[in-house]
């Protein structure tokens, strides 16, 4: 066994070793304790029901004791953590602290081999290996990472495993000996080891110089907490609850605007997904093509707005914004576009608008909608949503969600936990990809806005969240024609939306979906095959429905090539070409 292997291997088992062969991230302690917490809250509520019966004062006493000693402190902790932006899951939060400390230790250890010019010093590494005292010290420093790994509560393909691979590259860069295990980040086994070491040293240099070992902190420092490249103004009078309407400013040299475009984002992410960075911005590209762009910013629910229902976000706000846009642009054509959930909620709103226009004897005023990875079909079959529906059936407790987060909103970490269940190893692979690209400093910096967006979600209003999961995701209410919305037309108010109104009133649909998208699988993004100007037609011309399917994932805008292709297609759609 060579020196690299001796330093990295230990008789002490670590969760990062993944000897079990898991193909995903397994938050073991969270699952065990989470199940116990759910049972505790359910038992407390059972006691409450029993206490209403005659002669059961003991049940009320037991309920009060359980509430005072266990469930209330747990609920208080969860709500405070949610408001602070921390993970309410104590064990996941502890794992994140381990990851942060591991990354900090890794940077400190890498720093011992950096010269004043910011380069990895082979001379310093050689000095360590030829001096017995320095070699023993370095070996002990590497062993200290193993002890830290023992405090980790997750198994399998975890974020910590990705950091462990960085440690492996550092050890090889110092010892100049390869391990028996596959080389991290190596594309195949044809790369000469000396070339591999040169790339590994450059990767470590870039990560050290930009302090990028812990991705979340790196994204915060690099972006300053601000993402988006296109300047905008808040439309006067647009604030409604936590929501506001942005008006983007056309850049110098842009075409004279000939279309109005209204954008809607999901309720669980910052809306800046439309405007991440230069060259990776839907807003930037379409502004240059002559669109005047408005974007609905749903904000983040607080105590006063947590009880707002999905009708508010999916009907009231859109009606309000469109009226403001019309006042600023009288007689101009308005198109709409939604990403993920934003597009899903735009569809019934537009169908209800079509019903209202028909009832009032008026022509339809918005006749083109573009959807970006927006699911509309939710079932256990061909939609591809079966895995997530299984997770919800097994792990989701609406009563517990309402009790734990009512008044503050469901934190993004809770949503993220569910998403991770249907994306095997995503915590590991996302970070591994980041570290792999760190061999080029420009790619490291370019990734910062995306990782800030990815690691800084927004809370989801509790009442709206429960409706989304219960009625739309599990009940597939939109496709079944069972989703009710409010209306200014009395006979339509509170009635289920007829999605066929999109076809009857001549609305054309554009669906963009990705083959590698586990969040919005192709089988779920079928709106243009169900409704619109012509049923079951794809890739048509002349402004009719079309479906574009690419070999892409959910967040395809981070690819310059895919974004460029999307812009070409959607621009042609809006202009009827």
């Amino acid at each position: 066994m060579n020196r690299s292997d001796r330093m990295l291997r230990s008789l002490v088992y670590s969760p990062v070793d993944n000897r079990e062969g898991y193909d995903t991230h397994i938050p073991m302690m969270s699952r065990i304790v989470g199940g116990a917490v759910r049972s505790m809250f359910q038992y407390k509520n059972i006691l409450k029901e029993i206490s209403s019966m005659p002669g059961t004062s003991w049940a009320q006493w037991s309920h009060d004791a359980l509430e005072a000693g266990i469930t209330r402190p747990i609920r208080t902790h969860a709500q405070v953590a949610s408001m602070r932006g921390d993970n309410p899951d104590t064990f996941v939060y502890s794992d994140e602290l381990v990851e942060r400390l591991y990354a900090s230790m890794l940077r400190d250890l890498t720093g011992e081999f950096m010269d004043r010019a910011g380069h990895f010093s082979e001379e310093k590494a050689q000095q360590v290996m030829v001096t017995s005292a320095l070699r023993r010290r370095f070996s002990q420093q590497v062993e200290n990472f193993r002890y830290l790994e023992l405090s980790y509560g997750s198994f399998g393909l975890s974020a910590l495993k990705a950091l462990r691979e960085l440690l492996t590259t550092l050890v090889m860069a110092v010892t100049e000996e390869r391990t028996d295990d596959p080389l991290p980040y190596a594309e195949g086994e044809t790369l000469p080891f000396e070339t591999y070491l040169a790339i590994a040293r450059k990767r470590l240099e870039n990560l050290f110089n930009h302090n990028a070992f812990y991705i979340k902190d790196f994204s915060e420092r690099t972006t300053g907490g601000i993402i988006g490249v296109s300047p905008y103004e808040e439309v006067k009078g647009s604030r409604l609850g936590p929501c506001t309407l942005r008006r983007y400013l056309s850049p110098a040299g842009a075409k004279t605007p000939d279309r109005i475009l209204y954008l809607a984002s999901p309720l669980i992410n910052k809306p800046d997904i439309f405007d991440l960075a230069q060259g990776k911005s839907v807003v930037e590209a379409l502004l240059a093509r002559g669109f005047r762009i408005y974007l609905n910013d749903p904000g983040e629910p607080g105590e006063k707005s947590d009880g707002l229902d999905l009708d508010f976000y999916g009907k009231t706000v859109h009606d309000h914004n469109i009226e403001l846009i019309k006042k600023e642009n009288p007689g101009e054509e308005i198109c709409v576009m939604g990403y993920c959930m934003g597009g899903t909620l735009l569809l019934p709103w537009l169908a209800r608008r079509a019903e209202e226009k028909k009832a009032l004897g008026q022509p339809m005023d918005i006749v083109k909608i573009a959807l970006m990875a927006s699911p509309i079909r939710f079932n256990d079959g061909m939609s591809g949503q079966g895995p997530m529906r299984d997770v919800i059936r097994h792990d989701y407790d609406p009563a517990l969600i309402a009790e734990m987060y009512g008044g503050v909103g469901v934190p993004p970490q809770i949503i993220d936990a569910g998403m991770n269940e249907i994306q095997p190893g995503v915590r590991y692979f996302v970070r591994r990809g980041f570290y792999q690209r760190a061999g080029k400093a420009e790619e490291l910096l370019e990734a910062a806005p995306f990782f800030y967006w990815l690691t800084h979600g927004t809370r989801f209003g509790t009442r709206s969240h429960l409706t989304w999961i219960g009625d739309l995701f599990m009940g597939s209410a939109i496709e079944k024609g069972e989703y009710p919305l409010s209306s200014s037309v009395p006979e339509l108010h509170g009635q289920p939306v007829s999605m066929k109104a999109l076809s009857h009133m001549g609305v054309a649909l554009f669906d963009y979906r990705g083959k590698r998208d586990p969040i919005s699988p192709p089988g779920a993004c079928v709106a243009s095959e169900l409704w619109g100007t012509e049923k079951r037609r794809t890739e048509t011309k002349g402004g009719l429905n079309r479906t574009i399917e690419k070999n892409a994932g959910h967040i395809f805008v981070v690819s310059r090539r895919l974004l460029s292709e999307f812009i070409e297609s959607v621009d042609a759609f809006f202009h009827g070409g």
Side-chain angles (χ1 to χ4, degrees):
M1 184 182 294
N2 62 36
R3 288 176 294 187
S4 293
D5 282 317
R6 284 200 300 271
M7 289 182 183
L8 289 166
R9 293 183 180 179
S10 170
L11 295 176
V12 180
Y13 170 78
S14 162
V16 179
D17 294 331
N18 194 24
R19 294 175 187 170
E20 302 83 3
Y22 294 127
D23 64 354
T24 190
H25 170 254
I26 308 293
M28 193 68 72
M29 291 302 297
S30 294
R31 290 185 177 183
I32 294 171
V33 177
V37 167
R38 182 165 59 176
S39 297
M40 198 68 68
F41 273 83
Q42 290 172 344
Y43 180 55
K44 182 203 70 169
N45 292 332
I46 290 172
L47 288 172
K48 184 66 176 177
E49 293 180 8
I50 293 175
S51 67
S52 63
M53 302 176 185
T56 56
S57 57
W58 60 270
Q60 183 64 53
W61 180 88
S62 299
H63 168 276
D64 294 345
L66 194 58
E67 168 71 356
I70 299 178
T71 57
R72 183 186 297 145
I74 291 174
R75 183 171 59 250
T76 300
H77 162 77
Q79 293 187 347
V80 170
S82 179
M83 289 186 289
R84 291 179 54 185
D86 294 332
N87 199 315
D89 185 323
T90 301
F91 296 97
V92 174
Y93 181 69
S94 175
D95 281 353
E96 290 171 353
L97 293 179
V98 171
E99 294 161 12
R100 181 178 269 112
L101 179 56
Y102 200 102
S104 177
M105 289 171 54
L106 189 51
R107 183 176 190 273
D108 289 344
L109 185 56
T110 302
E112 295 189 12
F113 300 94
M114 302 294 289
D115 61 23
R116 292 183 178 180
H119 299 300
F120 190 94
S121 171
E122 295 180 46
E123 291 76 18
K124 288 187 177 183
Q126 291 167 0
Q127 182 69 23
V128 166
M129 297 313 298
V130 300
T131 307
S132 58
L134 293 178
R135 187 171 62 251
R136 284 195 301 271
R137 177 175 177 270
F138 179 65
S139 181
Q140 183 58 56
Q141 287 173 310
V142 174
E143 184 72 9
N144 288 341
F145 285 92
R146 172 71 62 161
Y147 298 138
L148 185 57
E149 290 169 10
L150 294 176
S151 62
Y152 202 60
S154 297
F155 295 79
L157 298 182
S158 63
L160 194 64
K161 184 172 180 62
L163 282 165
R164 175 64 185 274
E165 289 180 351
L166 269 184
L167 174 64
T168 300
T169 64
L170 174 60
V171 170
M172 287 190 291
V174 173
T175 63
E176 298 188 349
E177 294 182 1
R178 66 174 297 166
T179 67
D180 291 335
D181 296 327
L183 298 177
Y185 320 118
E187 300 295 338
E189 293 294 324
T190 59
L191 190 69
F193 187 57
E194 286 303 316
T195 304
Y196 174 83
L197 284 182
I199 297 172
R201 290 173 181 132
K202 188 63 179 177
R203 175 181 294 111
L204 291 165
E205 286 177 12
N206 292 335
L207 289 170
F208 178 83
N209 290 328
H210 294 287
N211 196 3
F213 287 92
Y214 192 69
I215 294 174
K216 184 177 181 181
D217 290 352
F218 161 72
S219 73
E220 291 174 348
R221 284 191 301 270
T222 304
T223 64
I226 300 173
I227 53 177
V229 295
S230 305
Y232 65 85
E233 299 172 338
E234 182 179 311
V235 175
K236 185 178 180 180
S238 68
R239 180 165 292 280
L240 203 61
C243 306
T244 55
L245 179 64
R246 299 180 184 180
R247 181 201 310 109
Y248 284 91
L249 307 179
S250 296
K255 290 173 58 179
T256 302
D258 61 356
R259 291 288 192 285
I260 309 299
L261 181 59
Y262 173 61
L263 305 176
S265 67
L267 301 178
I268 57 174
N269 300 110
K270 295 182 182 299
D272 305 279
I273 184 63
F274 284 111
D275 191 40
L276 270 180
Q278 281 194 324
K280 295 184 178 181
S281 167
V282 173
V283 170
E284 178 189 51
L286 292 179
L287 282 173
R289 287 173 177 257
F291 285 85
R292 181 172 291 119
I293 297 179
Y294 294 82
L295 180 146
N296 173 46
D297 181 351
E300 192 156 12
E303 184 177 355
K304 294 182 179 179
S305 55
D306 185 59
L308 294 170
D309 58 20
L310 209 55
D311 188 285
F312 171 82
Y313 290 102
K315 181 67 167 69
T316 305
V317 171
H318 293 326
D319 283 345
H320 176 68
N321 288 342
I322 291 297
E323 290 309 307
L324 290 173
I325 293 171
K326 282 191 164 190
K327 287 180 181 178
E328 290 194 352
N329 307 274
E332 296 289 331
E333 179 181 351
I334 299 175
C335 304
V336 295
M337 179 190 293
Y339 171 65
C340 191
M341 181 201 300
T344 302
L345 295 179
L346 270 182
L347 277 168
W349 165 76
L350 197 56
R352 174 48 49 93
R353 192 174 187 88
E355 289 181 297
E356 291 170 341
K357 294 297 181 183
K358 183 178 181 180
L360 296 172
Q362 300 174 355
M364 186 58 179
D365 57 346
I366 300 174
V367 294
K368 291 179 182 176
I369 176 173
L371 305 170
M372 303 164 63
S374 297
I376 201 69
R377 173 170 289 165
F378 304 95
N379 58 36
D380 296 327
M382 298 300 291
S383 75
Q385 296 285 7
M388 178 56 85
R389 287 163 62 86
D390 285 342
V391 169
I392 292 171
R393 290 189 190 100
H394 184 266
D395 297 327
Y396 185 79
D397 185 337
L400 181 60
I401 290 291
E403 185 171 356
M404 290 283 280
Y405 300 110
V408 298
V410 180
Q413 293 90 345
I414 298 297
I415 311 297
D416 184 56
M419 295 297 185
N420 287 325
E421 291 293 327
I422 63 167
Q423 301 177 81
V426 66
R427 290 182 185 272
Y428 163 76
F429 287 113
V430 165
R431 288 158 179 81
R432 183 184 185 277
F434 176 81
Y435 296 137
Q436 185 168 22
R437 291 191 296 272
K440 298 179 180 179
E442 62 273 15
E443 292 192 15
L444 197 69
L445 296 172
E446 190 178 80
F450 165 67
F451 277 100
Y452 183 86
W453 179 84
L454 188 67
T455 56
H456 293 77
T458 59
R459 296 193 300 275
F460 194 163
T462 307
R463 185 177 175 187
S464 298
H465 171 78
L466 293 170
T467 301
W468 169 260
I469 296 295
D471 295 349
L472 276 67
F473 204 98
M474 298 305 291
S476 199
I478 295 176
E479 184 185 6
K480 292 178 180 178
E482 299 172 354
Y483 182 56
L485 279 180
S486 59
S487 176
S488 57
V489 178
E491 57 266 31
L492 295 174
H493 183 69
Q495 296 300 309
V497 176
S498 173
M499 299 302 296
K500 294 180 180 179
L502 295 170
S503 307
H504 297 157
M505 296 298 282
V507 177
L509 277 69
F510 174 99
D511 252 341
Y512 185 98
R513 62 195 189 190
K515 294 180 181 178
R516 296 184 288 105
D517 187 347
I519 297 172
S520 300
C525 302
V526 295
S528 64
E529 300 175 24
L530 298 175
W531 312 298
T533 52
E534 191 168 324
K535 287 187 178 181
R536 306 189 187 284
R537 291 287 298 277
T538 62
E539 296 288 357
T540 57
K541 300 296 182 181
L544 298 178
N545 286 7
R546 65 193 63 185
T547 303
I548 308 294
E549 185 172 310
K550 295 286 186 177
N551 185 29
H554 190 65
I555 312 171
F556 68 90
V557 295
V558 297
S559 164
R560 293 179 186 274
R561 177 182 61 82
L562 288 172
L563 178 58
S564 177
E565 293 174 354
F566 169 78
I567 294 298
E568 288 290 338
S569 297
V570 80
D571 184 35
F573 170 75
F574 283 137
H575 283 91

